[in-house]
């Protein structure tokens, strides 16, 4: 089992320790640590976290725990002896070089990495040739304005030939995802000592004023909207969306569910780290009606849910089928993720902490994206209060 010894960055403490050590004629002592970040397949990768003169540094130490501990001991000794790490040579002067190295060294080791790498394509096209030292907030703001005027390119096949056509305009949320990835790449470059500072820290998001509706029936159990969607869905899709509605799992986690992860005796679904978005395994309780549903399904494949033809189905096919259903019932704004948020809101009324655990979030993310102040919750604040004359 890999150890997870992680010491948080403490700039003020490191600075005060250095000043006190200099006054006594000794080398500064800085917090050091070793942490493990497993890959999507569960293979451990160890990293060193060190703080030198208030600057937080990280260094990859490979997959061997013994070698990582030896390197940690070496770096600890170097810090104590006052041997600061030398500044790395820049990987290139252009922004595209920073983004390319960030994608290679950080994104390819996480489950969502291949999708996040796609965010750099428009950035490379419009900003890639700008030197990092000359990048300004105004450049990225111009990028945001240019992206808002662009349309999606839709590829389709007709008579055996792939063609392209223009779709809808690029959404503000997509542009925010791209600039947020650029922000993380520049923060990583600062941490790796490739650049002195992040030049776009003051950048504002494009955003939207009003968020889209994110749940069904105001977070109530089995409301009319849910019944309408369920009844309009084909039989093979009903089983999938009911499982997501009752467990709050992501649609990708539902489609990756295998029979060896389901225990109908104890009433729990155990998701391994390789399946979840956060690369952290978790247990999810099952309602009795979900247990009955799973027991009624055939076990012809290792996957729990299959398509209309009885074969395993891809996640994107499920999303497309659900989208067609929502348009049929005049609720095109509802996505599969709304089922997850609905279950999170229902469980919040019971226990918010356990709800965030079952959904696989920390409480901060859960409270920001998965909880709404509903009218019936607000009215409870004054329901039992005594009013004055």
């Amino acid at each position: 089992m890999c150890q997870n010894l992680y010491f948080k960055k403490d700039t003020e403490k490191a600075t005060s320790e250095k000043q006190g050590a200099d006054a006594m004629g000794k080398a500064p002592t800085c917090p050091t640590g070793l942490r493990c970040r497993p890959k999507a397949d569960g293979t451990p990768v160890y990293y060193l976290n060190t703080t030198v003169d208030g600057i937080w540094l990280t260094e990859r130490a490979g997959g061997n725990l013994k070698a990582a501990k030896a390197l940690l001991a070496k770096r600890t000794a170097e810090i104590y002896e006052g041997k600061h790490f030398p500044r790395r040579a820049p990987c290139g002067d252009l922004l595209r070089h920073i983004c390319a190295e960030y994608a290679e060294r950080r994104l390819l080791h996480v489950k969502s990495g291949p999708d996040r790498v796609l965010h750099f394509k428009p950035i490379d096209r419009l900003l890639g040739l700008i030197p990092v030292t000359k990048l300004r907030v105004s450049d990225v703001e111009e990028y945001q304005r240019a992206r808002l005027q662009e349309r999606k390119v839709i590829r389709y096949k007709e008579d055996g030939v792939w063609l392209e056509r223009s779709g809808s305009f690029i959404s503000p949320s997509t542009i925010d995802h791209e600039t947020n990835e650029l922000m993380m790449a520049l923060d990583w470059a600062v941490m790796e000592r490739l650049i002195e500072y992040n030049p776009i820290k003051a950048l504002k998001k494009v955003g939207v004023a009003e968020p889209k509706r994110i749940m069904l029936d105001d977070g109530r159990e089995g409301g009319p909207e849910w019944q309408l969607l369920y009844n309009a869905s084909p039989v093979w899709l009903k089983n999938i969306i009911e499982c997501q509605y009752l467990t709050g799992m992501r649609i990708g986690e539902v489609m990756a569910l295998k029979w060896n992860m389901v225990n109908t005796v104890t009433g729990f679904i155990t998701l391994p780290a390789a399946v979840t978005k956060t690369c952290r395994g978790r247990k999810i309780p099952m309602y009795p009606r979900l247990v009955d549903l799973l027991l009624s399904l055939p076990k012809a494949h290792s996957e729990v849910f299959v398509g209309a033809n009885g074969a395993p189905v891809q996640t994107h096919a499920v999303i497309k089928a659900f989208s067609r259903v929502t348009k049929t019932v005049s609720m095109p704004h509802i996505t599969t993720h709304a089922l997850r948020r609905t279950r999170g809101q229902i469980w919040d009324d019971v226990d918010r902490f356990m709800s965030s655990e079952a959904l696989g979030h920390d409480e901060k993310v859960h409270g920001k994206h998965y909880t709404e102040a509903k009218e019936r919750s607000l009215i409870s604040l004054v329901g039992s209060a005594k009013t004055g004359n």
Side-chain angles (χ1 to χ4, degrees):
M1 182 179 294
C2 60
Q3 297 183 10
N4 187 15
L5 306 177
Y6 176 69
F7 295 83
K8 293 183 178 179
K9 176 177 64 174
D10 195 340
T11 304
E12 296 180 359
K13 182 178 179 181
T15 305
S16 61
E17 286 181 351
K18 179 180 183 301
Q19 294 174 352
D22 291 342
M24 298 174 62
K26 298 180 181 179
T29 58
C30 302
T32 60
L34 178 66
R35 66 186 176 97
C36 174
R37 176 182 290 176
K39 296 182 180 179
D41 58 357
T43 305
V45 179
Y46 298 95
Y47 291 85
L48 304 184
N49 287 342
T50 55
T51 305
V52 180
D53 290 344
I55 301 176
W56 188 64
L57 311 176
T58 186
E59 181 178 1
R60 184 170 176 172
N64 188 297
L65 178 59
K66 185 176 180 180
K69 288 182 177 180
L71 183 60
L72 174 62
K74 179 181 177 182
R75 291 291 183 260
T76 304
E78 290 178 350
I79 293 174
Y80 182 79
E81 294 171 3
K83 298 178 180 178
H84 291 188
F85 301 152
R87 179 182 175 86
R88 283 185 50 195
C91 58
D93 295 332
L94 304 181
L95 182 62
R96 62 172 45 166
H97 298 150
I98 293 288
C99 295
E101 184 166 348
Y102 167 76
E104 180 181 357
R105 296 186 57 190
R106 294 300 293 270
L107 296 186
L108 297 183
H109 305 295
V110 297
K111 184 177 179 181
S112 59
D115 294 330
R116 293 169 59 184
V117 169
L118 298 178
H119 293 155
F120 288 120
K121 283 191 174 182
I123 293 176
D124 181 76
R125 174 168 52 87
L126 298 176
L127 299 175
L129 297 179
I130 298 179
V132 181
T133 55
K134 296 184 178 180
L135 182 67
R136 297 293 181 265
V137 173
S138 58
D139 298 326
V140 186
E141 289 175 344
E142 180 63 29
Y143 166 83
Q144 292 173 330
R145 289 190 290 269
R147 287 287 285 160
L148 285 172
Q149 302 301 319
E150 294 183 1
R151 292 180 177 270
K152 298 178 182 178
V153 177
I154 300 176
R155 300 183 71 246
Y156 63 99
K157 197 172 185 179
E158 186 175 319
D159 297 332
V161 180
W162 284 100
L163 303 175
E164 293 183 354
R165 64 179 178 85
S166 297
S168 59
F169 285 102
I170 303 296
S171 66
S173 60
T174 299
I175 300 173
D176 286 339
H177 281 304
E178 295 168 356
T179 54
N180 186 58
E181 201 66 55
L182 176 61
M183 187 82 71
M184 288 190 288
L186 294 175
D187 285 338
W188 170 85
V190 173
M191 183 176 63
E192 290 291 320
R193 305 180 304 285
L194 299 177
I195 57 178
E196 295 291 339
Y197 63 95
N198 186 342
I200 60 171
K201 273 292 187 181
L203 181 68
K204 295 182 180 180
K205 294 183 177 181
V206 178
V208 289
E210 285 292 332
K212 293 183 180 179
R213 189 175 183 184
I214 59 173
M215 64 180 61
L216 299 174
D217 304 302
D218 194 28
R220 296 177 186 270
E221 181 76 54
E225 291 181 339
W226 159 248
Q227 294 295 337
L228 188 62
L229 284 172
Y230 181 79
N231 294 332
S233 301
V235 176
W236 69 272
L237 184 60
K238 285 182 179 179
N239 298 331
I240 296 173
I241 64 174
E242 186 172 11
C243 178
Q244 187 183 18
Y245 181 72
L246 294 177
T247 60
M249 292 192 295
R250 298 176 179 89
I251 188 61
E253 296 170 346
V254 174
M255 300 315 299
L257 192 64
K258 299 182 182 297
W259 286 111
N260 58 4
M261 305 176 191
V262 179
N263 191 331
T264 55
V265 177
T266 60
F268 278 95
I269 293 175
T270 304
L271 296 180
V275 172
T276 64
K277 177 182 177 181
T278 57
C279 297
R280 182 170 64 92
R282 69 181 192 273
K283 284 189 174 183
I284 303 172
M286 291 189 292
Y287 289 96
R289 62 170 169 156
L290 179 59
V291 174
D292 295 338
L293 169 65
L294 295 178
L295 290 175
S296 66
L297 297 178
K299 297 184 179 181
H301 301 275
S302 60
E303 290 82 3
V304 175
F305 297 105
V306 295
N309 58 355
V313 62
Q314 297 294 325
T315 302
H316 65 84
V318 177
I319 295 176
K320 286 184 178 180
F322 186 79
S323 178
R324 288 194 294 267
V325 172
T326 58
K327 292 178 181 178
T328 302
V329 296
S330 301
M331 290 193 294
H333 55 283
I334 296 296
T335 64
T336 56
H337 211 67
L339 305 179
R340 170 175 165 86
R341 290 193 174 101
T342 303
R343 182 54 48 184
Q345 185 68 73
I346 294 171
W347 282 346
D348 276 355
D349 292 341
V350 181
D351 189 314
R352 176 172 294 187
F353 174 75
M354 298 310 299
S355 174
S356 64
E357 286 292 316
L359 294 180
H361 294 137
D362 57 43
E363 290 189 78
K364 181 178 179 180
V365 173
H366 185 77
K368 181 178 181 181
H369 298 286
Y370 286 80
T371 302
E372 284 188 359
K374 299 175 293 185
E375 288 185 3
R376 66 175 183 272
S377 300
L378 295 174
I379 205 67
S380 64
L381 297 177
V382 298
S384 59
K386 295 181 178 180
T387 57
N389 296 326

